Amino acid sequence: MFTRNPAGLAALLTFVLSAAMVFAQAPNLGKPVSPAEIAAWDINVLPDGSGLPPGSGTPADGARIYTAKCSACHGPEGKGGPSARLVGGEPVKNMSSEKTIAGFWPYSTTLFDYIRRAMPWQQPRSLTNEEVYALTAYILSQNQLIGERDAMNAQTLPKVRMPNRDGFIVRFPDRTP
Amino acid sequence: MNKTPSDRIKRELTDLQAVAGNGLLHRRALLRGGAALAGAMTGYTLLPSALGQQLTDDAWSRVPGSTVPDYGSRSRFEKDVVRTLSNPKGEPRTQHARTPHHLINGTFTPNGLHFVISHAGDPDIEPDKHRLVIHGLVKQPLVFTLDTLARYPMVSRMAFVECGGNSAPLFSPQPIQASVQALHGLVSCSEWTGVPLSTLLDEAGIDPKAKWLIAEGGDSPHLSRSVPLSKAMDDAMIALYQNGERIMPGNGYPMRLLLPGWEGNMNTKWVRRIQLTEGPGMTFYESRTYAAILPGGKAYQFYFMQEVKSFITHPSPGLAMKGPGFYEISGIAYSGYGRIAKVMVSADGGKSWAQAALQEPVHSKAFTRFRAPWRWDGGPAVLQSRAWDEAGYAQPTRTQLVAARGETAQVPPVTAFPSQHYNAIVSWSVERGGEVKHVYA
């Protein structure tokens, strides 16, 4: 039938294509938004350092902020309290091992990202970028992953190589049971 | 000669043969005989005077009932059917609320009983002020309100959501004596309705360099997870409704990312921002919390799939058996890979198996209720279920899973589990007196 009536086929194709276009049409109600408008929410930091803001902080600066804002939960020396240990810890061996920053975390940028989005627990998003850099520097320094005078900023932080960087097997999209 | 119903039941009883050890019957017993058949097998409901008293009109049937409320709630006699809370005072740490699978039935979870994990409580979001931003590697960054999303073509689907650490107490070297709620209560299933995420990403215009997205919630930890773009374009949804009504606050009101079949933590609740990126963010929850440490110290990263799993809810620990006779073994099965293809049930610790009946329709990546008729002779029995999915995966035995993943060093408190996926076979031991215990078999 189609081969005997090319005009009919063309008409049918036109109908199918226009129907598909109508079906695929979305309301397009999203409003354009500028980088400036979303700047306060644009807080993801990636392992290559993209997303890190301007600013800088030293372990000494971080020590003061830590005592004031973090030590009540994480202990005076960062070795744990009601909340997790931030300093020290062994390499992991099995599922019961403690997942410490020095012993488990693969990327230093995660520290900045997580402090900035989630800490302090009672007042997240209250720290300045400078304070987040300083706290990041303090914790890395206490874990002897950087020197006591090393400032952390958008250039230096992504270069800090975490000890367990190669300790992972990427499961996705592996389907092995 | 006319055959009476009791003749028919007697004939079916004669026909019924155990299909596996320790009294497991063919699943057709559920389809044909129903309650009458069950009664015949237990032998007491057919006796003419078993009731031993005359029925009278009860007090509630002799007066008009109460005023119908504007929002219904269940009978006052059901007040004990509740979630269990790990942190009832809301102390500054994660809160868990577990679904009582042994006290409910069917294939979806009522909204008030859906499991919740909140890492810093449930935010009190004003829906008119909530925004969803899509930005990053897109042609045009966009912002959506709840009102605008309500005008998009929507889809509805059943989907389970399961915490990556659900059932992880079974990594304990000794079986922990606890209810199915305590052991397996961090999974629930709902009908979710919302806008396909692909519609919104297409509208923003995906940069060909984009391979991942990072989703972020509007809760106080601003929980963030990286998701491969392929999943986002496959069956991801910005869910707005849960079982027909707006999503519960604990499950992400007014909107959440739904990734059917994938680790619960990735199904970002209260989602407010989606950034398209070339690579993953290596966020706190993916690079630390839900990375699963293997024996020897290497860890799985990006263990997204919630693999094929089943467990028996009736009977289960805390639901004692009430004397020998007919019982329906019933439970739930699900897989992140798709539909459940088959569930087998054993009453003798895995020596022999009978195929369970599956409640239709069987939805992809959703709870499937399975049922198997069982005549308990009153002796010891070990009940197990094993599920297969349409991708061909079978639930492993616990021995197999533990060989690959290890066990915890000590017996942990039932709420202090490692965040590791556990999908192996679960065993309930029925003791001679009818008590049901958790065992490894």
Side-chain angles (χ1 to χ4, degrees), chain A residues 30 44 96 99 110 117 166 169, chain B residues 203 222 275 282 291 298-299 409:
Chain A
N44 291 332
S96 298
K99 291 173 172 173
T110 307
R117 70 174 58 251
D166 296 326
I169 301 165
Chain B
E203 184 177 329
H222 304 88
Q275 180 182 8
M282 297 295 175
K298 291 274 186 183

Side-chain angles (χ1 to χ4, degrees), chain B residues 392-410:
Chain B
Y393 292 100
Q395 251 185 299
T397 65
R398 186 176 177 281
T399 306
Q400 287 169 333
L401 190 73
V402 162
R405 308 287 172 80
E407 291 181 319
T408 57
Q410 282 95 35

